[in-house]
Structures are given as structure tokens and as C-alpha cells.
Amino acid sequence: NYIGKIIDSFDGVQFGDSGLVNDDIFALIPLENAGYTKNDSEITKDISYIISKQDSTGSWGSVDLTAAGIEALFNFRSISGVSSSIDKAYGYIISSQSSDGGFGNSDSTSWAIQALSLNSSAYGSNIDRAIKYLTNKQQGDGGLNDISNPIDSRIWSTSYAVPAAMKLSWNDILNNFDKPVVSSSLNSSNSASLSSEEFVEPVKIIEQADQINPEVVLPKISLDLPQKVIKKKIVVSKITVNKPVEPASSTDIKTEVPIKNNLIASAGNTTTTNFSMKEISQTIINFMFNTLHYIGSSFSLFLSLINVF
């Protein structure tokens, strides 16, 4: 809550250190962009304090601070004494511009350009000369001032030059906000111990679109959640093997097949048994039929297990 810290530093006359004026100038710039106006006592009293610290030349000690003073006071010209103070400050700045267009150094030149840009119609030529001065100070790496200077110093100088080259004052750059709302929730037991300037940050309430405009249809948010796995029942068709029809005109062919007669004789004994071709064919067909039936049953069991798991 930076605005709160600034307000808390107000002593009834000025902000911060009573021996300084720069803190009052730099307090005034953000306060006027945070909703504080000439109707606030902190503003009017601080302005009176700032004007009282301006010397007869129109300066507040330097070109930099004088330019900042113009920016701080510019939007309060309707307050008595402010316009004449600004005119004196402009007179000091113009008198400080050198023949090369600068105001002593690049930093002061940038601040002077920002203040002069608030009245560019009157000081257009001064602004153009000052911007040319900044251009001549720019090095090949884009930064201002000699590359032998400390990097921090060059960064500051270059940062000042950017809004100046764009002819933008702090009044143009800063956003405007509503004044923070004074807290109304303090009870009688502790309100007396708190400053009347204490406040809470404004809270922006984001309303739902359908509450603001009933015709607005809010899109539904759908999430692709994992779906329950549905096991598909597999129907296995029965495997039918047609037993071949025995030829009507089959011829009986006698053959002798030596076999190991383990069921009758002892090990190593061999005998011969007579089989007809019809009997052999029938045996092979039965074996094939039983084998296919077994394979079909096994396949059905396999598919059933897949269905279960």
C-alpha cells in the first residue's frame, strides 16, 4: 500500500522530511494520479509548502527538481499561486539551456524535456534542441553517455531519456486510479486511535457475466475425465466340423503294419496286425475331428477368459 505510506508520512504541513522539498514534489505526482484532488487538505497544504521553498529565480535547487516541480504542480493550476510558480520555474529552465541544447547533462536534459512537453506549443524549439543533445549522447550500444561510465549510471540516464525523447511527462505516463476508500468498519473503541487518513485499498468486484447481463450465456466448462471401461461381450460362434461322408465304393485294401505290441507282448516283441484302408482312413478322420474339436473348445475358453478379465 504505497499510497498509504505516503499519506502516513504527512505531518500536517508536508510529506516526509521537513528539511527536504524533493520528497514533497515526488509525493504529489503519484497522489494526483491516485484520486487526490485540490479538495484534499494534504494536497493544498503540500502545494503551499512546495511553493514556499521555491527561490527567487524560480528554481527548487536544480534543473531536475525544478522540472519535476512543474510536473507535480501542473494539474493544480486552478489553485491560487500555482500558475505563477510554474511560469517562474519555466523561466529558470529556459535560462539554463546551453548552446548545444542540453541542460548540463543528459539526466537534467531529460527531466527538462518532460516538463517543457507539458507546454510544447510555447517551448517546441527548446524541446527539439534538447532531444538532439540526447541523440548525440547515445552510444553504439543504445545507451547514453560514455561507455566508460558505470553501467548503473548509464541505465538511469537511458531510462530518463526514453520518455523524454517521446515528449511524455509523468502526467502522460502514469495511469489514473480512484481514491482509496476510507474504511467504515472501525468500531468506536479503536477509531479514536487511528488517523482519519487511514484507509483500505479499493477492492474491484468482478461480477459474473450472467448477473450483469441476463442474456449473456456463459460457456460450460467440460473436463475429459477417464470413462469407465465397458467390457464388450464377445459371442463366439460354435465351430462345426462336418464329418466327411464315406465313399460308397471304397475298396478294401489289406496291409500289414508292424506295431509295437506293448499292450499284449513284453517289451521288444513285435507283431503284425492286418488293417484295411477303410479302417486306416476312418482312424485318421476321427483323429482330425477330435483335434479340431479340441482346438475349437480351447479357443472358446480363451475368448471367454478375455471377456472376464
Side-chain angles (χ1 to χ4, degrees):
N1 186 1
Y2 297 112
I3 298 300
K5 292 183 180 298
I6 295 175
I7 293 297
D8 289 343
S9 72
F10 187 70
D11 61 7
V13 177
Q14 56 87 51
F15 292 99
D17 191 336
S18 59
L20 300 174
V21 69
N22 58 338
D23 53 357
D24 295 283
I25 289 174
F26 288 113
L28 191 59
I29 292 175
L31 286 178
E32 64 177 297
N33 289 87
Y36 283 81
T37 69
K38 62 181 182 180
N39 297 322
D40 295 291
S41 60
E42 298 93 342
I43 299 299
T44 55
K45 290 180 179 180
D46 189 55
I47 288 175
S48 297
Y49 181 80
I50 291 172
I51 292 176
S52 70
K53 295 298 180 179
Q54 189 177 29
D55 63 29
S56 58
T57 64
S59 167
W60 278 286
S62 66
V63 171
D64 311 51
L65 194 55
T66 302
I70 292 174
E71 292 185 78
L73 296 174
F74 196 82
N75 287 339
F76 298 105
R77 296 189 303 279
S78 61
I79 297 177
S80 177
V82 171
S83 291
S84 59
S85 176
I86 291 175
D87 290 341
K88 290 169 59 178
Y90 272 134
Y92 168 77
I93 288 179
I94 294 301
S95 66
S96 301
Q97 189 171 25
S98 60
S99 57
D100 60 4
F103 291 85
N105 56 61
S106 60
D107 294 0
S108 297
T109 301
S110 294
W111 281 96
I113 293 172
Q114 286 187 281
L116 293 172
S117 295
L118 290 170
N119 193 359
S120 57
S121 60
Y123 303 110
S125 61
N126 302 91
I127 295 172
D128 292 339
R129 289 170 54 208
I131 291 178
K132 185 177 180 180
Y133 170 87
L134 292 180
T135 302
N136 293 333
K137 289 290 183 180
Q138 189 175 31
Q139 304 301 313
D141 60 358
L144 263 68
N145 303 331
D146 193 273
I147 57 176
S148 63
N149 291 350
I151 185 64
D152 290 346
S153 173
R154 296 190 67 215
I155 290 174
W156 278 103
S157 299
T158 306
S159 300
Y160 290 150
V162 171
M166 298 175 69
K167 302 180 182 180
L168 297 174
S169 70
W170 282 110
N171 295 357
D172 299 318
I173 297 170
L174 294 178
N175 289 327
N176 292 313
F177 300 90
D178 293 333
K179 183 179 179 181
V181 180
V182 177
S183 176
S184 60
S185 61
L186 302 177
N187 57 45
S188 58
S189 62
N190 60 16
S191 61
S193 63
L194 298 176
S195 169
S196 61
E197 303 298 335
E198 187 163 347
F199 57 85
V200 295
E201 284 285 351
V203 179
K204 294 182 179 180
I205 301 176
I206 302 176
E207 298 179 348
Q208 295 183 0
D210 57 352
Q211 294 176 346
I212 299 174
N213 186 351
E215 296 180 359
V216 175
V217 178
L218 296 176
K220 293 183 178 180
I221 300 175
S222 60
L223 300 176
D224 293 331
L225 299 176
Q227 302 296 319
K228 180 180 179 181
V229 177
I230 302 176
K231 296 181 179 179
K232 184 177 180 181
K233 185 176 181 180
I234 301 175
V235 180
V236 181
S237 300
K238 292 183 178 180
I239 300 175
T240 304
V241 178
N242 295 323
K243 184 177 180 181
V245 179
E246 179 180 341
S249 61
S250 62
T251 304
D252 290 341
I253 302 175
K254 298 292 183 177
T255 184
E256 293 184 355
V257 180
I259 64 171
K260 190 77 68 171
N261 192 1
N262 291 325
L263 297 178
I264 303 174
S266 61
N269 294 332
T270 304
T271 184
T272 58
T273 304
N274 293 328
F275 292 96
S276 67
M277 183 59 71
K278 176 180 179 181
E279 291 171 336
I280 294 174
S281 300
Q282 185 64 50
T283 301
I284 294 174
I285 291 172
N286 289 340
F287 173 77
M288 293 176 63
F289 176 81
N290 292 332
T291 301
L292 290 173
H293 179 72
Y294 173 78
I295 293 174
S297 300
S298 300
F299 184 68
S300 299
L301 177 61
F302 175 73
L303 294 179
S304 298
L305 291 174
I306 292 177
N307 187 38
V308 171
F309 291 102

mmCIF file of all heavy atoms in Angstrom, residues 172 280 292:
data_model
loop_
_atom_site.group_PDB
_atom_site.id
_atom_site.type_symbol
_atom_site.label_atom_id
_atom_site.label_comp_id
_atom_site.label_asym_id
_atom_site.label_seq_id
_atom_site.Cartn_x
_atom_site.Cartn_y
_atom_site.Cartn_z
ATOM 1 N N ASP A 172 1.538 12.216 -18.387
ATOM 2 C CA ASP A 172 1.094 11.432 -19.547
ATOM 3 C C ASP A 172 1.307 9.935 -19.337
ATOM 4 O O ASP A 172 0.535 9.118 -19.853
ATOM 5 C CB ASP A 172 1.860 11.872 -20.808
ATOM 6 C CG ASP A 172 1.634 13.335 -21.142
ATOM 7 O OD1 ASP A 172 0.475 13.788 -21.043
ATOM 8 O OD2 ASP A 172 2.621 14.026 -21.486
ATOM 9 N N ILE A 280 -8.045 -97.568 -41.710
ATOM 10 C CA ILE A 280 -6.999 -96.552 -41.525
ATOM 11 C C ILE A 280 -7.546 -95.159 -41.794
ATOM 12 O O ILE A 280 -7.321 -94.214 -41.038
ATOM 13 C CB ILE A 280 -5.809 -96.838 -42.450
ATOM 14 C CG1 ILE A 280 -5.129 -98.142 -42.024
ATOM 15 C CG2 ILE A 280 -4.796 -95.695 -42.412
ATOM 16 C CD1 ILE A 280 -4.027 -98.599 -42.961
ATOM 17 N N LEU A 292 -9.656 -81.002 -34.135
ATOM 18 C CA LEU A 292 -10.333 -79.728 -34.420
ATOM 19 C C LEU A 292 -11.328 -79.369 -33.342
ATOM 20 O O LEU A 292 -11.490 -78.205 -32.966
ATOM 21 C CB LEU A 292 -11.035 -79.814 -35.785
ATOM 22 C CG LEU A 292 -10.119 -79.856 -37.012
ATOM 23 C CD1 LEU A 292 -10.949 -80.109 -38.278
ATOM 24 C CD2 LEU A 292 -9.346 -78.553 -37.134
#
